[in-house]
Amino acid sequence: EADTDPQLVYMIEEFLSGRGDVKVASLFAHDLPIYGFLASLMDEVGFDSFVEGRILTVLVDFQFAHYQEIPTRWTVERWAKGLIQRLLGLTHRQWLYRNAVVHFEGPDGYTHAEHERILSKMQDFLWVDPQDLLPRDRGLLNENFESLGSSPAACELWIAAME
């Protein structure tokens, strides 16, 4: 869409999909050493810095060289600005998603993370051998878990009793 150098497209896609776990330099080391150099610089800058919009000037230089070879109406400044905007948009959407998962309270007053924590604890306790409990507490494993699971507060009370 922006007449981006196909090798840069591939490099950026791999860098983003690897989320910092993939060294992009290894993808270019043998076939295209000049791109391998750029990839190693990107690896040095790091994934977090890149998605926060800190792009290398040499990346822009590579795109400028590509624009010199093809007929295009794009400027390298417009390309760099667009790349940074997309990266920041990606980071912003991830932040919004995280906030929704961590901080959004449902109608029951519990966040998604709290629901997950409660379910995880319940699953752990479901594997308890009844013989490991005191005789008076063994009835806790005879609860109707389907109805219990409909209320996080009831689940927390059951967890507290099991603990």
Side-chain angles (χ1 to χ4, degrees), residues 102-116:
V102 174
H103 299 295
F104 176 74
E105 292 182 356
D108 56 10
Y110 289 85
T111 65
H112 180 75
E114 289 169 327
H115 276 280
E116 293 296 320

Side-chain angles (χ1 to χ4, degrees), residues 117-136:
R117 179 187 54 79
I118 290 168
L119 289 174
S120 175
K121 275 191 161 187
M122 284 190 70
Q123 287 173 344
D124 290 343
F125 281 129
L126 289 175
W127 290 104
V128 169
D129 184 355
Q131 298 303 316
D132 292 341
L133 296 175
L134 295 172
R136 67 171 187 230

Side-chain angles (χ1 to χ4, degrees), residues 11 19 36 58 60 65 67-68 72-73 85 89 109 122 132 137 146 156:
M11 184 183 304
R19 292 185 174 98
V58 70
V60 178
Y67 279 163
Q68 297 298 306
T72 185
R73 299 179 89 189
Q85 286 175 334
M122 284 190 70
D132 292 341
D137 294 331
E146 204 168 296
E156 284 194 308

Side-chain angles (χ1 to χ4, degrees), residues 30-109:
H30 304 293
D31 300 335
L32 301 165
I34 191 72
Y35 286 97
F37 168 71
L38 174 60
S40 66
L41 292 176
M42 286 179 68
D43 288 336
E44 281 184 41
V45 167
F47 177 78
D48 291 340
S49 292
F50 186 74
V51 296
E52 291 170 355
R54 295 183 191 107
I55 63 171
L56 297 163
T57 55
V58 70
L59 182 70
V60 178
D61 294 340
F62 269 70
Q63 183 60 29
F64 179 74
H66 178 67
Y67 279 163
Q68 297 298 306
E69 297 173 0
I70 63 168
T72 185
R73 299 179 89 189
W74 280 82
T75 65
V76 73
E77 292 82 10
R78 184 173 159 207
W79 177 84
K81 182 180 175 183
L83 176 60
I84 291 169
Q85 286 175 334
R86 285 182 176 219
L87 291 170
L88 292 176
L90 172 71
T91 304
H92 183 68
R93 286 189 304 277
Q94 288 175 334
W95 179 76
L96 289 174
Y97 174 77
R98 181 203 172 273
N99 281 344
V101 168
V102 174
H103 299 295
F104 176 74
E105 292 182 356
D108 56 10

Side-chain angles (χ1 to χ4, degrees), residues 12 21 72 99 138 143 152:
I12 292 168
D21 295 331
T72 185
N99 281 344
R138 290 182 186 148
E143 286 286 332

